[in-house]
Structure formats: C-alpha cells, structure tokens
C-alpha cells in the first residue's frame, strides 16, 4: 500500500530530523576544553580561580568514598558532549575510535605515574545494551587496554535499569544507583588495583557505587577515568 510506505518514510524522516536537533552529528575539529587543575583531588570537580595545592570539594570533604580518584580528559560541553551523545544515542559506532583516543590521552595525562592491574568498564543494563548494540564504556576500556596492555575484566553487572540521571541532583543520583550494580561472577579481586572506565562523570555516584562493589570483592584500590567531566 503506497500510502503506508509514504507514512513510514515520513515517520523515519521526522525521527531522523529530531535526532539531528537533539543529537547533532559532531564537528570533531571543534574546540575541546581539558579538565585541568585546579580540581577536587577526589572527584575531579573543576574550579576556576587561584587555588593552589591539593584540596577536596565540599561533597568529598566529609564523606567516605570508595574510590581513590576520578579524572577525565575533557569538560563535558560543546563538541565533546555532542560526540558522546552521537555515540550513545545515534549509535554512531565509528566514533569509538575518537572517544577511545580521548580517554587514552586522559589516562596518560592524569595517571601516567600510577600502576593498575585491570580495567573494568561500568556495565550497561542488558535491556539498554540490547537497544544500543554495544556498551560505550567497554569500547573505551578496549582502547585503554590496547594502549596499556592491561586486561579488561567485566567484573560488574547492572542489576537495575536506572532512570536517566541527567535532570537529577546529587542526592537523587546517589539513591538512584544504590543497589544498581553487583558483581558479575564469584571472582575475587584481592590486591587488585582497578581502573574503572565510563564515558561521563557527573557527580561520581555511579563510580562510587561500582567502586563499593569492587572493594567488597577485595580490590585494593579503584581509580576512575572518563572521557568527560560534567
Ligand atoms: Zn570532590
């Protein structure tokens, strides 16, 4: 039926133009801003101004935390944000190379002097993985593994398909991810120095919850690296 075909192609065109509005194809040569000091020594929260030496932000200062440090290559804005969105929501799989290079650069810049034993990607819920076809964090972990020679271990699994956290505050994010992760197997990570990998870090709630699970399984330390810091 011709009318049905034209209706379907009309809907496709509409969906594609909506994608272009919300998640435009990024101009990769656009300006990117590095995450540079001063930032919180724990969560990497950036500051502007004259702050010297090591310090913790008000959120990290008086709170127990399960990871040692979280760092990113860039601030999550402009072309960096667009590239991550296009990778995840437009499923532009070819962007894994660019994002992989960026996370490797961040790793070398922030953790050049650190030693790790394994790379662990933040897992996706199977439902979301089924839709996207790949786990963006795992693609980044593979790029880091190729550069560093460290093994990628799928140590964690996502138990809850948590609501999108974009519009949530710090406290909501923390309760949203509480119990959202578990260990993927019965493995122990005793005396293992783990590098956790994700695409974006905003408040650190996801990283902290993942680190909590890994520490429970015996990990000696957990550091995190992401492409971007919100
Ligand atoms: Zn902090």
């Amino acid at each position: 039926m011709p009318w049905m075909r034209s209706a379907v192609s009309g809907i496709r065109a509409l969906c594609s133009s909506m994608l272009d509005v919300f998640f435009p194809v990024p101009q990769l040569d656009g300006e990117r801003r590095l995450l540079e000091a001063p930032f919180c020594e724990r969560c990497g929260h950036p500051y502007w101004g004259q702050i010297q030496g090591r310090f913790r932000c008000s959120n990290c200062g008086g709170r127990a935390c399960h990871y040692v440090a979280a760092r990113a290559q860039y601030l999550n804005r402009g072309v960096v944000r667009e590239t991550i969105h296009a990778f995840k929501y437009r499923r532009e799989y070819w962007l894994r190379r660019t994002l992989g290079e960026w996370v490797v650069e961040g790793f070398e810049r922030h953790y050049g002097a650190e030693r790790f034993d394994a790379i662990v990607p933040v897992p996706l819920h199977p439902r979301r993985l089924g839709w996207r076809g790949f786990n963006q964090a795992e693609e980044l972990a593979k790029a880091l593994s190729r550069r560093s020679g460290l093994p990628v271990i799928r140590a964690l699994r996502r138990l809850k398909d948590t609501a999108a956290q974009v519009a949530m505050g710090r406290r909501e994010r923390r309760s949203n991810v509480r119990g959202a992760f578990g260990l993927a197997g019965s493995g122990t990570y005793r005396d293992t120095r783990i590098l956790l990998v994700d695409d974006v870090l905003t408040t650190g709630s996801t990283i902290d919850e993942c680190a909590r699970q890994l520490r429970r399984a015996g990990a000696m330390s957990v550091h995190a690296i992401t492409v971007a810091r919100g």
Side-chain angles (χ1 to χ4, degrees), residues 28 32 83 94-103 140:
L28 292 177
R32 290 167 256 147
T83 306
W94 60 278
L95 287 171
R96 71 191 184 283
R97 294 185 195 284
T98 302
L99 292 164
E101 283 170 21
W102 291 353
V103 83
L140 300 172

Side-chain angles (χ1 to χ4, degrees), residues 40-45 56-61 67 170 229:
C40 168
E41 66 168 344
R42 175 63 65 77
C43 74
H45 181 75
R56 288 190 183 176
C57 72
S58 56
N59 292 306
C60 295
Y67 63 91
R170 183 172 298 274
R229 182 69 170 81

Side-chain angles (χ1 to χ4, degrees), residues 76-159:
N76 191 29
R77 57 176 67 165
V79 68
V80 173
R81 187 183 159 94
E82 285 171 14
T83 306
I84 292 169
H85 280 182
F87 186 44
K88 285 161 70 174
Y89 305 124
R90 294 181 69 110
R91 294 183 282 183
E92 303 276 359
Y93 188 56
W94 60 278
L95 287 171
R96 71 191 184 283
R97 294 185 195 284
T98 302
L99 292 164
E101 283 170 21
W102 291 353
V103 83
V104 164
E105 286 165 14
F107 169 72
E108 291 177 345
R109 198 160 61 85
H110 293 293
Y111 291 141
E114 297 286 342
R115 291 288 166 266
F116 299 103
D117 302 302
I119 301 169
V120 174
V122 170
L124 271 190
H125 190 273
R127 202 175 308 146
R128 210 165 290 202
L129 184 62
W131 177 84
R132 189 166 295 150
F134 61 89
N135 173 1
Q136 69 277 6
E138 198 166 313
E139 297 302 324
L140 300 172
K142 284 186 213 163
L144 282 163
S145 174
R146 278 193 294 274
R147 183 64 64 96
S148 64
L150 294 168
V152 176
I153 301 177
R154 292 174 175 172
L156 299 168
R157 65 196 174 105
R158 200 141 192 157
L159 305 173

Side-chain angles (χ1 to χ4, degrees), residues 33-51:
R33 278 197 66 178
L34 289 172
L35 173 67
E36 291 179 301
F39 49 70
C40 168
E41 66 168 344
R42 175 63 65 77
C43 74
H45 181 75
Y47 280 83
W48 285 267
Q50 299 295 316
I51 303 176

